[in-house]
Amino acid sequence: RAKAEGRNDYQFYAGSMGTNAMDSLKLEGALRRALERNEFLLHYQPQVDIRSGAVVGVEALLRWQPQGKEMVSPADFIPIAEETGLIVPIGEWVLATACAQHKAWRDAGLPPIRIGVNLSARQFQRQDLAKRVARLLEEMDCTPDCLALEITESDVMQNPEAAVEILRQLHAMGMHLAIDDFGTGYSSLSYLKRFPIDCLKIDRSFVRDITSDADDAMIVNSVIALAHSMKLSVIAEGVETAQQLDFLSDHGCDQMQGYYFSKPVPADQIAKLLQAVKPETGHVAAA
Ligand code: C2E
Ligand code: MG
Ligand code: MG
Ligand code: MG
């Protein structure tokens, strides 16, 4: 499959390790050593403003490259990292690395764009999350508006009262907050209204059949309307075709992320993409 998808394929890992192929104990041991061995890396996927076509942000996506082995997809190791609590130190590495990348792009004179970072439930449950993030940002010479934190609906709804408090602290710091995979969990609209969030990310399972399935089209339209009525922006995930993009554009969606524009890629490819942007206007320069 990877071969058929072409050379620049960072998404599909031929023969990716699943818990079937490697038992979870072995995987846990390997994950524990992975941080010390520096085997993690981040790829970045552009987030594009649908109206202007400008790259307005990127999402950092974790990759694991064990020495001498195939790259491992987060779907294959994040569940075990969550179970074992290893996701907490791994998540701190992700935050620190995203901040360092932001600074590197700024130092290279590239236009500052926000980096979206996924937070797991385990990280989000810690009462001191806002303090830890604040300290980290300072250490890494970043301001809170460098980051957008992505939290899933089900993670915030596990304990919505505690979530309101933590989100409020992060928001007060100036951090951008997004609800990830929106539509796949259960949200209470009254809580959604109380969460000081900035953005809803529509799960890609709704975007996939948007042009052929009337129910999905209706759901996506409703989410866009709901978000806008709450003064939130909307990002559609998993946009793969021009038809999907046209639909989203016609229905007022703000941003898109998906293979149609770019797969998640290494940082140097994002730098090349941003070099084509004039810092004064933030628009992609004419060739
Ligand atoms: P997510 O946060 O919803 O990230 C979007 C996923 O959709 C990514 O998968 C991305 O590569 C994929 N994607 C983007 N555009 C398209 C498209 O057009 N078509 C298709 N089929 N897929 C697309 P990825 O990188 O495998 O990550 C999977 C999940 O792993 C993420 O879902 C996120 O929940 C989790 N994850 C990734 N990095 C981290 C991390 O640093 N920390 C935590 N806690 N979770 C992470
Ligand atoms: Mg995400
Ligand atoms: Mg996610
Ligand atoms: Mg998502």
Side-chain angles (χ1 to χ4, degrees):
R1 188 178 186 183
K3 209 171 173 185
E5 295 269 340
R7 277 194 305 125
N8 290 327
D9 189 333
Y10 301 96
Q11 187 53 37
F12 296 101
Y13 314 104
S16 91
M17 273 187 264
T19 40
N20 305 330
M22 196 197 236
D23 67 58
S24 52
L25 261 180
K26 253 168 103 182
L27 183 55
E28 183 186 340
L31 264 182
R32 281 189 193 284
R33 289 185 298 273
L35 264 179
E36 299 155 31
R37 294 184 178 174
N38 228 342
E39 292 177 344
F40 290 113
L41 65 153
L42 295 181
H43 280 182
Y44 298 88
Q45 186 176 38
Q47 298 172 327
V48 180
D49 182 290
I50 290 181
R51 256 153 301 209
S52 68
V55 175
V56 287
V58 291
E59 177 175 4
L61 293 156
L62 184 59
R63 301 300 181 244
W64 178 21
Q65 175 65 79
Q67 268 170 31
K69 299 208 177 88
E70 307 249 5
M71 204 179 271
V72 188
S73 157
D76 291 336
F77 68 87
I78 288 201
I80 282 148
E82 299 242 7
E83 263 169 52
T84 56
L86 283 167
I87 194 68
V88 174
I90 294 173
E92 301 230 327
W93 179 88
V94 172
L95 278 166
T97 305
C99 288
Q101 188 60 65
H102 199 278
K103 180 163 165 43
W105 282 334
R106 269 182 287 138
D107 288 349
L110 298 170
I113 55 166
R114 235 181 230 119
I115 302 184
V117 171
N118 292 284
L119 284 192
S120 83
R122 289 288 276 260
Q123 287 173 285
F124 190 66
Q125 278 156 7
R126 300 180 73 115
Q127 291 302 316
D128 59 350
L129 176 68
K131 267 193 207 129
R132 294 168 81 98
V133 174
R135 196 182 330 128
L136 188 95
L137 284 165
E138 203 175 291
E139 277 170 21
M140 305 304 292
D141 197 14
C142 282
T143 51
D145 61 353
C146 296
L147 296 183
L149 301 180
E150 299 192 0
I151 306 138
T152 64
E153 207 178 359
S154 33
D155 288 352
V156 284
M157 290 309 294
Q158 269 180 32
N159 184 351
E161 283 300 336
V164 170
E165 184 48 36
I166 294 169
L167 292 172
R168 204 169 273 160
Q169 291 171 9
L170 293 167
H171 190 77
M173 287 166 58
M175 200 93 62
H176 198 90
L177 302 171
I179 301 290
D180 205 354
D181 307 338
F182 188 76
T184 58
Y186 300 96
S187 283
S188 140
L189 291 183
S190 63
Y191 272 116
L192 198 59
K193 194 164 173 288
R194 286 179 57 201
F195 293 142
I197 50 174
D198 304 282
C199 173
L200 296 182
K201 297 189 74 175
I202 305 179
D203 191 71
R204 71 163 190 266
S205 60
F206 300 110
V207 174
R208 193 180 48 221
D209 300 324
I210 207 177
T211 55
S212 59
D213 184 315
D215 291 333
D216 286 340
M218 187 268 294
I219 289 167
V220 168
N221 283 337
S222 306
V223 173
I224 294 170
L226 173 73
H228 287 166
S229 73
M230 295 197 296
K231 308 256 185 303
L232 306 176
S233 65
V234 199
I235 303 184
E237 300 190 284
V239 178
E240 296 186 353
T241 68
Q243 291 74 21
Q244 290 165 341
L245 175 58
D246 285 344
F247 180 98
L248 292 162
S249 174
D250 288 347
H251 292 87
C253 186
D254 303 295
Q255 291 175 35
M256 62 124 166
Q257 199 182 323
Y259 296 173
Y260 180 66
F261 187 82
S262 170
K263 290 188 175 181
V265 294
D268 57 334
Q269 293 197 36
I270 297 291
K272 274 187 210 146
L273 202 80
L274 293 178
Q275 258 149 22
V277 174
K278 285 192 215 139
E280 316 87 66
T281 63
H283 291 120
V284 176

